[in-house]
Amino acid sequence: MIEMKNITRYYGNFRALNDISFTVNKGEILGLLGPNGAGKTTAMRILTSFLPATSGTATVAGFDVFEESYEVRRRLGYLPETPPLYLEMTVESYLNFVAEIKEIPGRIRRPRIRETAARLGLEENLGRVIGHLSKGFRQRVGIAQAMLHNPEVLILDEPTVGLDPNQIIEIRHLIKDLASDHTIILSTHYLAEVSMTCVRVVIINEGEIVAVDTVANLERFSSGKPMWKIAIKPGNDQNFAEKLKKITTATTAQCSELQIEEGISRFNLEMETEEDFDEFFRQVSSAGAIFRQISPVRASLEDVFLKLTSNEEKRGEE
Amino acid sequence: MKIFAIMKKELQSFFFSPVAYIVFASFLLIVGYLFWVVLVTSKLATLEPLLYNASFVLLLASPVMTMRLISEERKGRTMELLLTSPISPMQIILGKYLACMVLYLALILLTLQYPLLLSRYSSDFDLGPVYSGYIGLVLLSSAFVSLGLFTSSLSENQIISAMLSFGGLLLFWIFGWAKHAFDNWFGNMLGSLSIFDRYSDFLRGIVDSGNTIFFVIFTVVWLFLAARVIESERWR
C-alpha cells in the first residue's frame, strides 16, 4: 500500500534522510519510531507529497507521490505534528471546509461530518470556536480532519502528543479501531504507544533506519532474557533473605541486589526462559512468603534504542 | 468548487478578525471626510477627487488586508493541510483573490452613496467619468490584491508581507514620475508601468483598452507568481 524506496532527503547540506526503504501492507499499522530530529516528520512529509525527496521514489496506493501527487492526496489523510487548524473557525465550519477541499460530495458532507465527530467525541463541540478548545480537543479535530474523507491511508505524526492519559488511551483505541479499514503510519517516541497499536516498527535515527521489526521481536532483542520485577513480603521468617538466595541460586537466575523497605524485599530477577519462573514462584510460596508485586520488565525505547545504535557502532568497528 | 471553498473560508476569516471591520471603518471615515472637505471648498459636483482619494487610501489599507492571506497559512501550519489536499496552488490563490475582491467590491459599493448624493442635488453632474472611474477603481483594487497576495506568499511574517506589498505598490504608483526626469524611451517605459497614470485616465472618463489590459495582465502576472511560490515549496 505504501512503499518507500531508497529515499534520501537533504536540507541544504544537512542530510535528514539517508537511503530509507520500507513498505507497509494494506490494513497494517506501522510505527515510525525515533528520537526528535531523527527524520520521522520528513519521511511522513515525503509520503504526503508535501516535500519532495532529493532522490528515491515513494508510492502510496500505487501512485507516485511526486508524479501523481493529486491521486495520492485523494487517498490520504494526514495529521501533521501541529494540527492544521483555523483557530477562528468553529469545528463544524472547519470540517465543512475540509470536506469541500477533500472532494467529499455535497450530499454526504453533513452526515460524514456528524459521523466523524461522533467517532471522536466531538458532537458537543461542533458549534464551538476551535481557538477556545483545549489541546486535547484540538488534537481530535486534527484527527477528524485527517479521517474525514475516509482515506485508504492515514499518516499521523505524533497523534497523542500533548494529551492527558485518558485521552491518550482513547486515541490509541481509535487508531486500533481505524486500522480495520485503513492503512496507517504513525510516528511517536514512546515505545509503549507502538506496542499497544502497531505490529511492525521502523526505528529511525539520524536519518537512517536502524531496525525494521515487530514490536515483540524488538522487546525480546533488547532485554535478552525475560526479567521480572518482584516484591515479596517474607511473613515471619527471619532468615528469608538467606532462603531466597538459596532458591535463586538453585535455579539459573540472575538476581539483583535485595532492597528491603518496610519489611518488603524488592529485586529484579532474570531467568533463561519464562518457564524457569514457575519453579521459582512455587518455591517462594511454599516458603510461606507473600508476593506483593510481580511485573515484567519491558524494554523502553531508550533501551532498544541504545542497544541498536551501540550495535551499529560495533558493527562499524569490525 | 474548491476555489469557492477557499473563498468562503477566507471571507469567514476576514469577518472573524477585527482587521476587515477596522479597514472598512477607517476607509469610509477618511473617504467621507475628504468628500465633504473637497465639496465645501470647491463647490464642484465632480467625483474625480473622491475617486483619487479613495485610491490613495486603498493603497495604504490594502497591504493590511492582504498581508495575512498566505503568511497566516504558513505560520499556522495550515499550509500543510492545503498542500496535502487535492487542491492546486492556483485554486488556492484564486480563492483568496476572489475573497479579497468580494470585500473590495463591498467597500466600493459603500462609496456609491457619494455619486448618488451628487446626482440628486446637482443638475449638471456628468455620469460618464463616474462609470469609468468606478471601472478604474475595481481594476486598481484587483491590481492591489494580486500584488499583496504575491508578497504574502513570500514570508510567514505578516509585517514583512505588508511592508513588501506597500513598497511594491508605492513603487508602481510613482513610476510615472520618471517620465518628467527622462524625456526618452526609458522614461516612457517607466511611465507606462505607472498604475497611477493609468488610473488617472479612468478618472478623466477615458476607458482605454490599453489601460484595461495593463491592469488585467498586472493581476494575472502576480497571481501566477504567487501560485508558483506556493508550488515551489514542493520542489525546494
Side-chain angles (χ1 to χ4, degrees), chain A residues 52 73 86 88 100 103, chain B residues 2 8 13 73 80 85 234:
Chain A
R73 288 186 248 165
Y86 296 102
E88 70 278 2
E100 283 177 56
E103 300 176 342
Chain B
K2 284 174 274 181
K8 221 169 61 193
S13 300
E73 302 270 6
E80 274 182 85
S85 299
R234 220 184 278 290

Side-chain angles (χ1 to χ4, degrees), chain A residues 269-299:
Chain A
L269 195 64
E270 189 181 295
M271 299 230 187
E272 282 299 325
T273 61
E274 299 270 352
E275 284 70 36
D276 291 342
F277 282 95
D278 297 353
E279 182 55 28
F280 168 77
F281 290 149
R282 201 173 300 128
Q283 292 203 25
V284 173
S285 28
S286 63
I290 301 157
F291 283 105
R292 299 299 292 269
Q293 182 192 3
I294 309 170
S295 54
V297 178
R298 294 242 184 260

Side-chain angles (χ1 to χ4, degrees), chain B:
Chain B
M1 275 294 277
K2 284 174 274 181
I3 292 176
F4 293 112
I6 298 274
M7 181 180 107
K8 221 169 61 193
K9 186 220 90 186
E10 284 308 320
L11 284 172
Q12 267 179 10
S13 300
F14 265 122
F15 286 102
F16 276 125
S17 84
V19 176
Y21 296 105
I22 291 170
V23 169
F24 264 53
S26 30
F27 179 85
L28 292 173
L29 182 71
I30 295 170
V31 170
Y33 172 73
L34 289 172
F35 173 75
W36 172 70
V37 170
V38 170
L39 192 66
V40 293
T41 48
S42 72
K43 306 221 168 18
L44 286 176
T46 165
L47 211 61
E48 198 180 324
L50 174 105
L51 286 173
Y52 168 69
N53 291 329
S55 71
F56 192 70
V57 178
L58 211 56
L59 174 79
L60 299 174
S62 189
V64 181
M65 296 283 269
T66 56
M67 66 181 183
R68 49 165 291 283
L69 286 174
I70 298 172
S71 302
E72 203 173 67
E73 302 270 6
R74 284 193 207 278
K75 189 113 199 164
R77 303 302 170 107
T78 43
M79 208 58 170
E80 274 182 85
L81 166 65
L82 297 183
L83 291 185
T84 56
S85 299
I87 180 168
S88 72
M90 202 57 198
Q91 286 172 316
I92 297 172
I93 292 292
L94 281 178
K96 285 172 183 278
Y97 167 78
L98 288 177
C100 238
M101 281 313 284
V102 167
L103 228 54
Y104 278 45
L105 288 178
L107 204 53
I108 290 169
L109 275 177
L110 287 171
T111 68
L112 284 179
Q113 52 178 312
Y114 304 116
L116 284 176
L117 267 175
L118 289 180
S119 65
R120 176 90 172 72
Y121 293 107
S122 163
S123 48
D124 58 345
F125 184 54
D126 185 3
L127 278 174
V130 175
Y131 293 135
S132 68
Y134 271 100
I135 292 172
L137 195 56
V138 172
L139 287 171
L140 190 75
S141 312
S142 160
F144 285 180
V145 171
S146 60
L147 183 73
L149 250 173
F150 170 72
T151 60
S152 182
S153 73
L154 295 177
S155 166
E156 64 168 49
N157 184 323
Q158 298 195 14
I159 306 295
I160 293 176
S161 301
M163 208 48 227
L164 283 174
S165 158
F166 181 65
L169 291 177
L170 200 61
L171 195 66
F172 277 103
W173 195 252
I174 61 176
F175 260 143
W177 296 2
K179 214 164 48 182
H180 312 294
F182 313 97
D183 195 14
N184 55 17
W185 64 269
F186 185 61
N188 284 335
M189 191 192 77
L190 287 178
S192 68
L193 287 176
S194 163
I195 46 182
F196 175 69
D197 287 1
R198 292 179 183 275
Y199 177 60
S200 309
D201 284 352
F202 283 101
L203 296 194
R204 286 198 296 272
I206 309 162
V207 183
D208 179 73
S209 58
N211 289 340
T212 311
I213 291 169
F214 174 85
F215 278 113
V216 171
I217 291 178
F218 191 92
T219 303
V220 170
V221 165
W222 292 116
L223 292 183
F224 174 77
L225 288 177
R228 294 300 283 180
V229 171
I230 293 182
E231 226 175 291
S232 75
E233 236 157 271
R234 220 184 278 290
W235 30 263
R236 247 189 308 208

Side-chain angles (χ1 to χ4, degrees), chain A residues 108-155:
Chain A
I108 61 165
R109 226 173 263 157
R110 282 191 80 77
R112 182 66 66 72
I113 290 171
R114 298 265 154 202
E115 189 187 301
T116 309
R119 208 163 172 187
L120 286 159
L122 282 167
E123 311 107 302
E124 307 286 304
N125 296 289
L126 276 175
R128 289 182 66 192
V129 174
I130 295 174
H132 298 165
L133 294 176
S134 68
K135 192 155 191 212
F137 273 111
R138 287 188 199 188
Q139 193 71 17
R140 290 190 210 193
V141 179
I143 296 172
Q145 160 275 125
M147 57 185 269
L148 192 61
H149 58 306
N150 204 12
E152 293 169 52
V153 174
L154 272 173
I155 294 186

